[in-house]
Amino acid sequence: MDGHRPLFTALALFAVTLCGSTSIAGLAPAHADEVTDWNVIALEVLALGGQNPVVATRGVAMAHLAVHDALNAIDRRYEPYVYDARSEPGAAPAAAVAAAMRVVLIGALPGFGTPEQHAKAKERVEAAYVAALAKIPEGRARQDGIAAGQAAASAMLTLRKADGAIAQVAYTPGTQPGQWRPHPNPVPANPPIADANLAAGNQPSMLPQWGHMTPFIMRAPWQFRLRPPPALTSEIYTRDYNEVKRLGGKQSPARTAAQTEIARFWYEGSVQGWNRIARLVAAQRSLDRWEHARLFALLNAAMADGYIAGADTRYLYNFWRPVTAIRAGDADGNDATAGDPTWETFMNTPSLPDYPSTHSVLGGAAAVVMSRFFGTDQLSFTMTSGPPFAGITRSFKSLSEAQEENGDSRVYSGIHFRNSAVAGILQGEQIGRQAFAQYLQPYRP
């Protein structure tokens, strides 16, 4: 890659899914506290800082893990993640949360976005921090809480300083059947993109270094690596090819109104959507700061690792996207996959290889973490989507129902094959199970 320009160009392609993505449907729930309030703020800050949903998972995970450690330095209820110390007695928990978030969010900005975006993000952080401290009486307790938060944040930033997030990794697109290469967006782009060059698509591959990054809870990026995608002549590939061709096209007569709504509802970035779901579900319970901190730390660490594991798999196999496959269908060696050189997707396709659908990976990871945390999958909720298709409201009877629909949406959007969504969910579930089973366990002195 030539410096950072292709990376920033590719990141800009996702910008439409970020702006204001937590401000419309991500309002703090009735049983909110500082942890859930800062969850909303963290997503806003990283978006303002120019980070797309993939990159933002790293910063949100870092921030919530630091908050977890800061609170447990005050009152040890769960095992720490990295900061294993005790605060001064009587330290104010709210101050610890605010200080940990402030330091980590600012520390997570470099490497992505522009100086102008960083300035806006820092302004948002500082305003939130001042407002948070204004609610806490001045004195020793507040200062000790700030110190605990800053210490936990410093430990987190040190841990992640050389995690590979901004490393330069060489990547060459493929040219053979089945191999990923830059691909077009529908005309006009859906959702709209102001920059005409970005709207057209055909962008370089995004974040090839992500599959080499240090995980949060996995032993290595390849711990849950998937088996290869199906061969181009297989029954599975033939089935998936014809399904996405039929349902995921720009003007598909077969896609129902309900399927179109599902595609739009779930197009929002996974980190925004699943954190909102967690806030909604948590609002149904009377959780305290420590429980909220553990929930959002586990959730976001698992989702961050979902993107890392997904990138490891997808760049290993480098499988082509449906728009490339269908346009070249007559040259794939499969007589049952009729090509259409004019076929367009319903939604814009991110500039990443197809297998697996990391949107589905994160859905699987998030659903498992929450079902383990709350002791049941049968958690009903109603959620309204954020940008780029804000204002769509859907209801679910369980987390697994939401997880499955989340995967379905990528087929209806025309941007993933069915098997990529199915495999992605399975990979995410493995990550979620490990996160909950091995990290932030109840403290037993």
Side-chain angles (χ1 to χ4, degrees):
M1 299 177 69
D2 180 15
H4 293 283
R5 185 178 180 280
L7 173 60
F8 290 145
T9 300
L11 291 177
L13 187 60
F14 269 4
V16 71
T17 69
L18 288 171
C19 298
S21 58
T22 56
S23 60
I24 293 177
L27 299 177
H31 296 288
D33 58 23
E34 298 85 5
V35 177
T36 54
D37 289 346
W38 274 99
N39 176 258
V40 176
I41 294 165
L43 293 167
E44 292 176 351
V45 166
L46 295 173
L48 288 171
Q51 297 191 8
N52 73 21
V54 177
V55 177
T57 56
R58 173 180 176 265
V60 178
M62 291 166 60
H64 275 293
L65 286 164
V67 164
H68 173 273
D69 281 1
L71 287 175
N72 279 277
I74 295 172
D75 181 3
R76 181 64 58 87
R77 301 187 190 179
Y78 304 102
E79 295 292 344
Y81 180 76
V82 61
Y83 179 65
D84 188 4
R86 300 299 179 101
S87 71
E88 293 296 326
V97 172
M101 277 283 178
R102 173 178 177 262
V103 173
V104 172
L105 290 174
I106 292 174
L109 292 174
F112 304 95
T114 65
E116 293 77 15
Q117 290 172 321
H118 291 177
K120 291 180 180 179
K122 290 176 182 177
E123 182 180 358
R124 178 71 180 98
V125 170
E126 296 297 355
Y129 183 66
V130 170
L133 292 190
K135 299 176 183 178
I136 308 168
E138 294 185 12
R140 179 68 180 271
R142 187 170 83 169
Q143 290 306 311
D144 287 343
I146 291 171
Q150 290 174 338
S154 178
M156 177 57 63
L157 292 176
T158 299
L159 180 70
R160 302 298 302 186
K161 183 177 181 179
D163 64 4
I166 59 173
Q168 294 294 296
V169 174
Y171 169 75
T172 303
T175 58
Q176 299 302 308
Q179 295 181 338
W180 186 89
R181 78 282 315 257
H183 41 65
N185 282 330
V187 180
N190 183 31
I193 299 174
D195 186 314
N197 291 325
L198 294 179
N202 298 305
Q203 296 300 310
S205 183
M206 188 190 306
L207 302 170
Q209 77 273 23
W210 222 251
H212 301 272
M213 194 167 72
T214 303
F216 284 87
I217 59 94
M218 296 187 297
R219 293 191 297 273
W222 54 87
Q223 182 181 355
F224 300 114
R225 180 179 288 172
L226 296 168
R227 291 179 292 182
L232 300 186
T233 55
S234 67
E235 291 183 8
I236 293 176
Y237 178 76
T238 303
R239 177 204 67 190
D240 289 357
Y241 177 102
N242 288 307
E243 180 190 28
V244 72
K245 182 183 179 184
R246 180 171 56 89
L247 296 178
K250 178 181 175 182
Q251 302 293 344
S252 169
R255 187 177 55 249
T256 67
Q259 290 168 336
T260 295
E261 179 179 273
I262 288 168
R264 290 187 171 126
F265 178 87
W266 289 104
Y267 196 79
E268 181 182 17
S270 293
V271 66
Q272 284 84 12
W274 285 100
N275 272 284
R276 185 182 305 117
I277 291 170
R279 293 194 301 271
L280 290 168
V281 173
Q284 301 170 14
R285 306 290 193 274
S286 297
L287 304 184
D288 63 19
R289 294 184 184 99
W290 279 258
E291 291 167 319
H292 276 141
R294 181 177 181 237
L295 169 63
F296 284 96
L298 289 170
L299 172 72
N300 285 289
M303 289 200 292
D305 274 13
Y307 274 133
I308 295 171
D312 167 74
T313 295
R314 73 190 335 164
Y315 281 108
L316 174 66
Y317 300 124
N318 200 38
F319 201 62
W320 60 6
R321 288 279 189 161
V323 64
T324 307
I326 292 169
R327 291 187 174 203
D330 290 339
D332 64 6
N334 185 338
D335 292 338
T337 56
D340 181 352
T342 66
W343 192 83
E344 293 183 280
T345 57
F346 178 39
M347 303 285 193
N348 304 331
T349 302
S351 53
L352 298 158
D354 177 79
Y355 179 80
S357 159
T358 46
H359 201 72
S360 304
V361 176
L362 268 68
V368 164
V369 166
M370 284 190 278
S371 65
R372 296 293 196 275
F373 184 93
F374 292 108
T376 179
D377 171 62
Q378 301 301 304
L379 296 168
S380 61
F381 63 93
T382 296
M383 186 176 81
T384 300
S385 62
F389 300 103
I392 303 171
T393 300
R394 294 186 63 79
S395 297
F396 303 90
K397 295 180 180 178
S398 66
L399 294 167
S400 57
E401 180 186 7
Q403 164 192 280
E404 294 297 324
E405 187 178 283
N406 177 61
D408 291 343
S409 74
R410 310 318 262 180
V411 177
Y412 304 151
S413 300
I415 65 177
H416 275 296
F417 294 106
R418 170 71 60 185
N419 185 67
S420 294
V422 172
I425 290 172
L426 294 175
Q427 187 177 50
E429 288 176 338
Q430 291 179 297
I431 295 167
R433 284 193 290 269
Q434 175 156 307
F436 189 81
Q438 298 185 12
Y439 287 86
L440 315 187
Q441 294 294 300
Y443 176 64
R444 294 180 176 84

